[in-house]
């Protein structure tokens, strides 16, 4: 557990309480010498106002005395990430660029700016999915993924992970304590909120930031606050086999595996982590994943790369490999990015692949690329921001 204290932060910046877990909030209150007997009650109050009502001003906490509100405001803020840009795709997908306040790691690296994180919101008729990041960049260098080419890598804190959801809910006016999302977008399912689902499919490998991801999921699923269902949170991994089973036991969310190849030699070139955890190890971890069942299937993601992994033989082998695992197969058309050495398979090839998988009894939806016009699709995150930056640099010169 990481208390949110940043001894390196400039003293004029008040740390935000937004995004903290109960234990982190309690530690923050202890540090300003609140009596121990009051802490649990105060955390409960803050929790309700921050996560259930979505307030961003201590003065709106009407069941907290004025003196206490002043004390809190003297030491803390309720600030959220800055919304640097918002783009809305023709299909309704929204992409935000959030700038987080700097954390200890940023100060230590000599930076006075926090992480910049792109977050994508995908509305559908029966759900609204928010795609969140777990790291800035990624150490794993999968050859088809743009995120893997970014140099700067660091883990996001659990607070930064939760703040992505809070900031999205702010933008959509979507809190359990508010009667209806203020966006005009109301999904049709009973009690379904604008953000009803979370996928850890933004930047980074969530299982390489295990503790912070688990702590953040704890905050997101707390029934007195943000109240997301564990079954509506999917952690996507490139296959960190030992942490897969642990995740099932610790938090019990849904699991997605980025498989992308059926032979170790090919998977090693696409997902270099395969050298450490080959396909057999990853599939064994899936067989051992606590709670997987036909009602709670594991998703296998398979990016369609022209002439690389898209033959009918490979589709048949995929079906054979997954035998006995409660699985869904998600075929993802490759999203190109500048400098990528792959192309997306032809539509007929994808259909042929999908038919083989379907005829073997698997649901095999082809993931419709959403928000391609605003570069919000998988593997495209960060691209346009970097392009804009490069353009800005040229103008500056
Ligand atoms: N690191 C985790 C989660 C983030 S990536 C993982 O690898 O699972 C989320 C998904 O997007 C993964 O399935 C990844 O393989 C896929 N992806 C990455 N780049 C892509 C691209 N250019 N086109 C399509 N899918 C891509
Ligand atoms: Fe990292 Fe996932 Fe991209 Fe691979 S696909 S480089 S694990 S973000």
């Amino acid at each position: 557990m990481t208390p949110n204290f940043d001894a390196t932060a400039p003293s004029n910046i008040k740390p935000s309480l937004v995004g903290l877990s109960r234990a982190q909030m309690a530690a923050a209150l202890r540090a300003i010498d609140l009596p121990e007997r009051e802490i649990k009650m105060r955390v409960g109050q803050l929790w309700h106002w921050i996560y259930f009502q979505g307030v961003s001003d201590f003065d709106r906490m009407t069941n907290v005395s004025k003196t206490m509100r002043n004390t809190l405001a003297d030491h803390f803020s309720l600030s959220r990430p800055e919304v640097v840009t918002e783009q809305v795709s023709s299909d309704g997908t929204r992409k935000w660029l959030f700038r987080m306040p700097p954390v200890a790691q940023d100060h230590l690296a000599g930076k006075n700016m926090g992480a910049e994180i792109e977050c994508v919101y995908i509305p559908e008729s029966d759900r609204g999915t928010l795609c969140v990041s777990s790291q800035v960049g990624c150490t794993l260098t999968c050859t088809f993924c743009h995120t893997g080419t970014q140099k700067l890598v660091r883990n996001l804190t659990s607070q930064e992970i939760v703040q992505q959801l809070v900031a999205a809910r702010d933008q959509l006016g979507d809190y359990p304590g508010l009667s209806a999302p203020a966006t005009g977008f109301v999904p049709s399912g009973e009690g379904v909120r604008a953000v009803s689902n979370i996928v850890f499919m933004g930047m980074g490998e969530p299982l390489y930031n295990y503790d912070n991801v688990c702590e953040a999921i704890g905050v997101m699923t707390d029934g007195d606050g943000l109240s997301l269902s564990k079954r509506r949170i999917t952690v996507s991994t490139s296959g960190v086999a030992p942490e897969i089973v642990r995740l099932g036991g610790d938090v019990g969310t849904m699991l997605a595996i980025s498989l992308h190849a059926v032979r170790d030699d090919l998977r090693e070139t696409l997902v270099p982590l395969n050298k450490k955890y080959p396909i057999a190890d990853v599939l064994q971890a899936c067989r051992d994943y606590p709670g997987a069942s036909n009602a709670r299937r594991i998703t296998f993601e398979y990016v369609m790369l022209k002439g690389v992994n898209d033959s009918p033989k490979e589709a048949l082998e995929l079906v054979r490999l997954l035998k006995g695992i409660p699985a869904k197969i998600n075929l993802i058309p490759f999203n190109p990015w500048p400098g990528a050495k792959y192309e997306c398979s032809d539509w007929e090839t994808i259909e042929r692949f999908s038919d083989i998988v379907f005829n073997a009894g698997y649901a095999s939806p082809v993931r419709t690329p959403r928000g391609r016009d605003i570069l919000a699709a998988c593997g495209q995150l960060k691209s346009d921001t970097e392009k804009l930056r490069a353009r800005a640099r040229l103008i500056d010169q």
Side-chain angles (χ1 to χ4, degrees):
M1 196 174 314
T2 19
N4 180 50
F5 289 121
D6 179 359
T8 59
S11 54
N12 60 339
I13 297 179
K14 293 178 193 166
S16 177
L17 295 176
V18 177
L20 297 187
S21 65
R22 286 181 192 270
Q24 290 169 334
M25 246 183 230
L29 297 182
R30 242 170 241 128
I32 61 162
D33 294 331
L34 233 67
E36 194 57 41
R37 66 189 138 74
E38 265 186 44
I39 287 190
K40 196 162 176 239
M41 184 263 293
R42 294 292 175 210
V43 169
Q45 290 175 324
L46 287 167
W47 198 264
H48 175 81
W49 288 110
I50 294 173
Y51 295 127
F52 193 80
Q53 303 285 357
V55 306
S56 49
D57 182 351
F58 287 110
D59 272 338
R60 287 204 38 216
M61 302 184 171
T62 44
N63 62 350
V64 179
S65 73
K66 179 84 186 138
T67 329
M68 182 42 88
R69 294 200 307 254
N70 287 343
T71 307
L72 290 169
D74 283 345
H75 294 90
F76 304 112
S77 78
L78 294 173
S79 67
R80 11 277 263 175
E82 179 191 342
V83 183
V84 183
T85 54
E86 177 186 54
Q87 286 169 280
V88 184
S89 157
S90 51
D91 66 15
T93 301
R94 289 167 191 237
K95 182 169 78 168
W96 297 289
L97 177 64
F98 295 139
R99 184 175 299 141
M100 304 285 158
V103 299
Q105 284 148 293
D106 301 315
H107 294 301
L108 292 171
K111 287 195 287 158
N112 56 5
M113 227 174 70
E116 287 189 350
I117 302 168
E118 276 168 0
C119 215
V120 180
Y121 172 66
I122 306 156
E124 288 170 282
S125 59
D126 62 341
R127 69 184 64 185
T129 304
L130 186 71
C131 176
V132 299
S133 295
S134 55
Q135 299 182 305
V136 179
C138 184
T139 49
L140 289 177
T141 63
C142 298
T143 45
F144 55 88
C145 174
H146 193 216
T147 304
T149 65
Q150 255 182 260
K151 284 202 188 73
L152 180 78
V153 180
R154 79 160 167 82
N155 281 337
L156 294 180
T157 63
S158 62
Q159 182 176 27
E160 289 171 317
I161 298 171
V162 175
Q163 282 202 351
Q164 295 171 64
L165 172 59
V166 171
R169 284 207 157 155
D170 285 346
Q171 293 300 303
L172 298 164
D174 176 34
Y175 280 91
L178 300 179
S179 51
T183 53
F185 168 72
V186 185
S188 54
E190 173 96 4
V192 177
R193 307 214 57 82
V195 179
S196 59
N197 293 48
I198 301 261
V199 291
F200 280 82
M201 292 186 186
M203 285 192 286
E205 170 49 58
L207 298 189
Y208 269 14
N209 187 13
Y210 189 88
D211 292 342
N212 289 328
V213 165
C214 291
E215 188 145 27
I217 291 172
V219 178
M220 291 168 169
T221 55
D222 187 295
D224 295 329
L226 293 164
S227 293
L228 273 154
S229 154
K230 280 180 185 171
R231 290 176 172 225
R232 289 175 172 268
I233 297 183
T234 302
V235 175
S236 175
T237 176
S238 55
V240 190
E243 307 287 37
I244 289 175
V245 180
R246 205 176 144 207
L247 180 81
D250 287 351
V251 290
T253 49
M254 304 300 279
L255 176 68
I257 303 287
S258 295
L259 193 63
H260 309 316
V262 292
R263 296 189 327 268
D264 280 320
D265 59 337
L266 176 60
R267 193 163 188 272
E268 276 176 20
T269 68
L270 300 176
V271 183
L273 186 68
N274 197 76
K275 291 183 199 131
K276 199 162 178 193
Y277 305 116
I279 295 174
D281 291 12
V282 175
L283 295 185
Q284 190 53 49
C286 292
R287 287 194 184 88
D288 298 340
Y289 190 73
S293 66
N294 282 341
R296 298 184 63 193
R297 290 169 188 270
I298 297 172
T299 302
F300 288 86
E301 294 160 283
Y302 198 96
V303 63
M304 299 299 294
L305 304 171
K306 189 176 193 165
V308 175
N309 64 354
D310 59 357
S311 70
K313 205 171 140 215
E314 283 160 310
L316 287 167
E317 180 58 13
L318 178 61
V319 168
R320 197 193 63 79
L321 272 181
L322 297 186
K323 218 168 175 177
I325 302 177
K328 278 191 287 203
I329 297 168
N330 205 338
L331 303 179
I332 317 175
F334 170 66
N335 284 310
W337 40 271
K341 56 181 176 187
Y342 300 104
E343 281 177 69
C344 183
S345 309
D346 303 323
W347 192 247
E348 306 82 76
T349 312
I350 298 181
E351 264 181 340
R352 196 174 49 191
F353 199 101
S354 160
D355 284 348
I356 295 173
V357 169
F358 181 76
N359 290 337
Y362 289 99
S364 62
V366 178
R367 194 192 288 166
T368 333
R370 297 288 303 259
R372 262 195 175 170
D373 53 339
I374 55 168
L375 283 173
C378 296
Q380 289 184 314
L381 293 191
K382 210 68 192 169
S383 342
D384 67 339
T385 315
E386 282 185 355
K387 243 190 286 164
L388 289 175
R389 286 254 171 73
R391 234 178 271 159
R393 272 198 301 273
L394 281 178
I395 293 167
D396 280 343
Q397 277 165 10

